[in-house]
Structures are given as structure tokens and as C-alpha cells.
Amino acid sequence: MTAYDPDNIFAKILRGEIPAYKVYEDDDALAFMDVMPQSDGHTLILPKVPSRNILDADPDVVAKVIKVVQKVAKAAVNAFGADGATVMQFNEAPAGQTVFHLHFHVVPRYLGVPLRPHTGKMADAALLSGHADKLKAALAT
Ligand code: AMP
């Protein structure tokens, strides 16, 4: 498999070199809003330890991050009044992965509302920071 690239965009976010709408951080994981959300509240959760995806990750790292995925999913459903949540995770480009640092998507789902397609356009900054504030508040309770 291709080696981990330490200059991928999520590695830069983890090092604080580029900004993100962060909602949760602990010793092992970081969560922030997806800037091209497929639904209101779309959040990404990643381990701090580098790996491209689940295929090269240490199982203990996966075990720790999945607990954060669950925490974020529950908080997001509450924060956004969602009717459910889709959890997604892609491994290598043919499977849909575009950023090669292991991450999980939590996508709140609303009755009768299909997922928005990826347009390649960033969502409005005020909208993303409002969503981050809502989710941070729910995660703090
Ligand atoms: P994938 O690798 O297909 O699982 O998805 C990567 C996700 O990262 C996509 O949903 C993008 O919208 C999202 N994304 C890309 N760049 C950033 C960024 N700088 N901050 C937050 N989300 C991002």
C-alpha cells in the first residue's frame, strides 16, 4: 500500500497548520465539521496517530476512535434534531477515499431528506461555525 503522506490536509489540521471547525478533542482523537457537508451537522472524526485508513491502522487506534464516533453521532442527533445518522468510512481511492488520513463521517439524517451530493464547494463559514457551536454544546453535556 502507498505510504502515509504527512502533508495530507487532515495531518495539517492535526498539527494546527490550517484551521478547522473543531468540536471535540482528546488525547487520541479530533472531530471537526466537514466543510462540504452532505447534511446539516456532517462531522469528521479522526485518530491523532497517523494511518492512511482502516487497512493500515493499529486496531487499538481504531477501537479508541470508534468510541468518539459514537459519542459524536449521539450528540449530533440531539444537537440537530436529526432522525438518525449515517456513519461512513472509505478506504483507498476506488472506495471513495479522497483524504488519506483515517477518518469517519457522521452524517445526521432527516426523515425524507436525501444526502446532498458533493459539489466541491465549501459551505458558508457562518453556517459551519454555527453548526460547530451547536455540536460542541451538545458534546459538553
Ligand atoms: P473521504 O476521504 O472521501 O472520506 O472524505 C474526505 C472529506 O473531507 C470530504 O467529505 C470533504 O468534504 C472533507 N474535507 C476536505 N477538506 C476538508 C477540510 N479542510 N476541512 C474539513 N473537511 C474537509
Side-chain angles (χ1 to χ4, degrees):
M1 192 194 287
T2 317
Y4 178 81
D5 172 10
D7 283 329
N8 74 76
I9 196 142
F10 293 169
K12 289 181 180 174
I13 288 174
L14 281 167
R15 291 196 296 267
E17 292 168 7
I18 61 167
Y21 298 91
K22 294 180 187 176
V23 294
Y24 177 85
E25 181 162 16
D26 63 22
D27 288 346
D28 304 304
L30 178 68
F32 50 84
M33 306 314 292
D34 193 304
V35 289
M36 291 172 256
Q38 290 187 265
S39 81
D40 283 356
H42 184 165
T43 307
L44 302 172
I45 302 94
L46 40 144
K48 292 184 172 178
V49 171
S51 68
R52 279 175 69 81
N53 52 49
I54 210 162
L55 301 175
D56 62 336
D58 180 325
D60 292 336
V61 169
V62 178
K64 281 180 184 156
V65 79
I66 202 73
K67 291 186 180 182
V68 181
V69 171
Q70 184 188 29
K71 190 194 285 282
V72 169
K74 289 167 85 168
V77 165
N78 284 336
F80 296 98
D83 301 300
T86 301
V87 174
M88 302 187 291
Q89 191 276 316
F90 306 119
N91 302 286
E92 298 300 326
Q97 188 175 10
T98 60
V99 179
F100 296 93
H101 179 111
L102 174 61
H103 58 278
F104 290 80
H105 299 251
V106 166
V107 188
R109 301 301 299 271
Y110 307 90
L111 200 61
V113 181
L115 277 190
R116 292 198 282 266
H118 252 141
T119 59
K121 270 185 74 181
M122 258 178 74
D124 179 66
L127 179 106
L128 290 169
S129 81
H131 286 171
D133 287 346
K134 252 188 182 180
L135 186 47
K136 261 189 282 188
L139 281 160
T141 59

